[in-house]
Amino acid sequence: MRDGDDVEVAEVSRRTWLRWTAALLACHIGIGVWLAVVTPWTTDEPTYATAGRLLRAGLVWDTGVARLHGPLPFYANQLAARLGVPDQPLVDYRVAGRLGMLVFPLLGALVTWWTARRWFGRRTSLWALGLYVTCPVLMAHGSLMGTDTSLLPFQGLALLACWQWLTRPGIAALLALGGAIGAALATKYLGLFLVPICGIAVVIGIARGVRPRLLWSRSSDGLAARVADAVAAAVLVGGVAWVTLWACYAFRPPGYDAAAIEPMSRFFASVHRLPGAATWLRVLPEPWVRGVDYMKHFSEQGGSAFLCGRVGPGFAGYYVVALLTKLPVAFLAVLAAGCVWRRPPWPRHALLLTLLGIAIPLAYLSLVQVLQIGLRHLLQVVPLLVLVASRPLADWSSSAGRLGRLRIGVAACALVVAGLAAFHVRAAPRYIGSFNALVAEPWRWFSDSNLDWTSVTYGADPDEQALRARHPAAERVFPQSGPRLGEVVAYAPDLSAVLAPDGRVAHWLWPLTPTDVQGAWLAYRVDDAALQRAVDNATDADRPRRQLDRATALATSGRCDLALRVLDGAGADPRALHVRAYCAAVAGGRTASAEAAALRNALGRFDLVAADPTAPPPLRAIASLQLQRWGDTRSILQELARDRPLATEESMLLAIACRTLQDHTAGIRALEAIELPDGDPMRPRVADLLDELRQLRAESEIIRRRIGG
């Protein structure tokens, strides 16, 4: 039985091995720091930064923000502040928080490097480290204040410890395995995958001849002895993982009280009903259980996923397509070779652990818990793919063989390196939204964090600014913006119709080809000829809607005569009535009337309504909300409230705008003023939004008291 030290490729010297390792790690650190500086805020980072600052202030998990995931990533985003970086306000904390998080991708690289060394030898470990350091999805998320890369080092340590125990059973390996699993659980809930991965590997290993021998002497080899030893090993690993998890919480929070806490997810509601649940759940940290419950609830809510132009509750092939499009073609080629290459051979049990580590998370996230909002949720399989891909590169670059074979192998390695370099030249520094050469128009494939994850909470999107600088006359369109003629700028995820299932812009812009692209921002020059081509190329079922889009654009651009002729082919769509009514208002000289403003809103021309000071305030408030001008919506409705009581729908609009602006008190005040009779269908919606705002206000007050933010 081999342990990985006896390899079949020529090895590099120890000095060369260490020098290349140091150089690659230095590159990894340098790239991480560079990306931490140049990458703008991403969507979840402000939340995670707040969680870290809360825990630093007092190690109290009394807010939902601090319970989203395990505490280790939140501790880490405070490391730079502890090491001397000024304790900046949150708005300026982006780089400081990210510098602390670099410890996780660095440890992940070291664990991957050492695993490859143990399994395949020094040469393979260098290739594995090189592929890890240059992997774009690891680079993209390793430089962020997220939680996705925090799991990588502990998963790698757990798999390595499990392999060590299967190879040479001993208590030290079990202790390491338990510690790694406990630490993985303290990063994010996906660490739970390690339980079935290692459990199945151990069961298969024992069935294939592994003898644990913890409780029984070496002469005892019966079934009872093997079962008893396996149970003892599981108890030891579970106990160490449990202590490690509590240690990561500093033994501070209480245990989970199932009798006092109302579960959020259906899964935990069923767990609460199990006999003895109140007792055995109490041994787990309350914030950890509540965090897992929240994430399970979040996934149970469903929602929409977008893949290759289709919207649905989820797609079985989502993550496979993401891996095939987000990883460089050169990496995919050598990965395919690694699946069939025989040298260096896999050590016993190593291939099994690798396959389980890839298959179980992939199958669960694709088929069971459908959470398809980015490849980042499957990031833990990428280091395992790196191990598979590094094997053929080590063999090809080895001198153990004929000279002709060596030359071919070196040429193949050079092609892989050149392919990776070409990818990085094209993608840097926008690695979050980078795709390989197989994808020409990525916005037609994905609309989530695979495509873009930039947050505008603290400033504008630099890609949008760059595109708008090149097209200063272009008009920004939003999910519900209606067709129009002229130059427009759109945010690519708005074209997926995920956030707005009936979004107009997702329909009328989808068949058009952008004239300019900057990251996830697209510029279009829309004219009647382009809309006519969309009609000509449409299917029979879709052609009436395309005709209506064209008629709407013509009518709101002043070409009502042609718009009415186009409407003859628009079928019986009720939205055609709005176009005819608007054309009639224009013909009758009523363009400045409330009727015309209402019709413009109905046709998605919110820009015209928001810019019209004579339009009724409620209509301007609706238009401003659709244009994501939350402050204008709040100002208009608050001014209107001074003159008369707001209608229910107007109060709801005001509350929604205030929620986005984090003006929770004003939103609560607007909803509390609503008086609805029993049985009114709006009562549940008002009550839900009011409860949400009250909870947000309570948590904001806790945050303000603790960290002043």
Side-chain angles (χ1 to χ4, degrees), residues 601 606 609-610 612 615-638 640 644 646 649-651 653-654 657:
N601 268 355
F606 309 112
V609 177
D612 182 5
L619 296 179
R620 287 193 289 116
I622 293 173
S624 297
L625 191 75
Q626 294 293 349
L627 296 172
Q628 299 179 10
R629 299 173 185 172
W630 320 108
D632 290 349
T633 301
R634 180 178 61 179
S635 299
I636 293 169
L637 291 175
Q638 286 180 338
L640 182 63
R644 63 167 176 81
L646 297 181
E649 293 79 4
E650 294 167 350
S651 296
L653 287 177
L654 176 57

Side-chain angles (χ1 to χ4, degrees), residues 473-475 477 482-488 508-509 512 524-532 549-560 562-563 605 607-608:
E475 179 186 354
V477 291
R484 77 270 324 267
L485 301 181
E487 194 172 22
V488 299
W508 65 273
L509 271 186
L512 306 185
Y524 293 85
R525 190 175 300 278
V526 185
D527 54 25
D528 186 38
L531 295 175
Q532 180 60 58
D549 289 340
R550 183 186 173 208
T552 301
L554 292 169
T556 57
S557 300
R559 301 171 65 179
C560 291
L562 181 56
R605 290 308 306 266
D607 54 308
L608 299 178

Side-chain angles (χ1 to χ4, degrees), residues 10 33 74 81 166 190 253 376 420 431 439 452 552 615 626 634 684:
V33 172
F74 301 149
L166 289 170
L190 295 179
R376 57 194 174 89
L420 293 174
Y431 288 109
V439 179
D452 187 57
T552 301
Q626 294 293 349
R634 180 178 61 179

